[in-house]
Amino acid sequence: MTIKNRAEFVRRFSLTPSPSVNRQLDEPLRKRLRPAAVLIPIVERPHGLSLILTRRSASLRKHAGQISFPGGRYDKTDGDLLETALRETEEEIGLPRSQVDVIGRLHDYPVLSYFMIRPYVAFVSPQQALVAQESEVAEIFEVPLADIINPSNHYVYRIRKFIYDRVYFIPWQHRNIWGATAGILRELAEQLQPDQKSHFKPLN
């Protein structure tokens, strides 16, 4: 099902039960994970809903050049993880929190770089051109939400179990969205279209 507008998105996101997510975390590993948060920014356009993503700077020590959501690690000055997501979004892409309407969140998502990421879903209404923080963000771009949550565009590579037993890939134009970003988008797709969650294309 194509989700074209905000009302339809909110209805499905609010009413669809959260899918079961199996995170293979033992207690020693869980204790090593540091809190972080990202924003999943959705904007209404004449053609429908779009998702704002970033490409990380090639000079970064971790996840250089990867497609990601705006966000980052929790700072002790943050009141909570939502504050982290809003602060990092404002710093990374110049989007003030006054232009962000948070409507919910997905499951916490552990990653191999020893962060536990909390994804917040929000509608945003930028009143100005977004500006990338040069030290961290190489590019800001949009993708149609309908394309990115379409399970027929999702590929999976099975791995030996660590935290997960698979890695998702979502190609879009000349870009390849993978890793935590693709995994979080996969969960968003399952949240919105639970009847299609078993459809994906294996890479191996």
Side-chain angles (χ1 to χ4, degrees):
M1 176 182 293
T2 299
I3 298 172
K4 296 182 179 180
N5 57 57
R6 174 174 179 150
E8 173 65 7
F9 182 97
V10 171
R11 184 183 70 80
R12 291 185 67 81
F13 184 76
S14 298
L15 298 182
T16 302
S18 184
S20 174
V21 178
N22 183 23
R23 313 297 200 214
Q24 300 297 323
L25 291 176
D26 57 30
E27 196 56 32
L29 176 57
R30 186 181 297 277
K31 289 180 178 179
R32 296 179 63 185
L33 298 176
R34 294 163 290 172
V38 298
L39 195 72
I40 303 175
I42 299 167
V43 59
E44 290 187 273
R45 299 299 187 195
H47 62 270
L49 301 179
S50 284
L51 176 69
I52 298 173
L53 292 170
T54 70
R55 179 168 56 85
R56 291 169 60 84
S57 169
S59 64
L60 292 174
R61 189 166 58 91
K62 294 183 178 179
H63 309 294
Q66 291 186 11
I67 305 302
S68 67
F69 302 108
R73 70 178 67 188
Y74 172 81
D75 187 273
K76 61 183 180 181
T77 62
D78 297 331
D80 52 28
L81 283 170
L82 176 57
E83 175 72 16
T84 301
L86 295 173
R87 174 182 56 76
E88 288 279 350
T89 296
E90 190 162 6
E91 291 175 1
E92 290 187 1
I93 66 174
L95 181 66
R97 62 195 67 197
S98 61
Q99 298 169 18
V100 177
D101 179 17
V102 177
I103 62 170
R105 68 177 179 89
L106 300 176
H107 288 90
D108 290 352
Y109 197 99
V111 294
L112 300 183
S113 52
Y114 295 103
F115 284 100
M116 179 72 87
I117 300 172
R118 179 162 296 176
Y120 289 93
V121 182
F123 276 95
V124 302
S125 52
Q127 305 301 309
Q128 66 290 314
L130 300 178
V131 178
Q133 182 183 33
E134 292 185 3
S135 62
E136 295 192 25
V137 177
E139 181 186 12
I140 302 168
F141 62 97
E142 292 184 21
V143 299
L145 183 67
D147 290 351
I148 219 70
I149 65 169
N150 184 345
S152 65
N153 294 330
H154 297 184
Y155 294 78
V156 68
Y157 182 80
R158 294 191 179 277
I159 57 176
R160 292 183 179 180
K161 278 192 174 181
F162 179 51
I163 296 177
Y164 306 99
D165 64 352
R166 65 194 66 183
V167 177
Y168 286 106
F169 296 81
I170 308 174
W172 188 78
Q173 295 185 349
H174 61 283
R175 300 177 174 91
N176 185 25
I177 304 167
W178 69 285
T181 303
I184 291 169
L185 287 172
R186 178 66 183 183
E187 184 180 336
L188 181 64
E190 292 177 357
Q191 185 92 303
L192 297 169
Q193 303 174 119
D195 54 322
Q196 300 186 49
K197 67 181 181 180
S198 62
H199 300 169
F200 56 79
K201 303 173 184 178
L203 289 179
N204 64 334

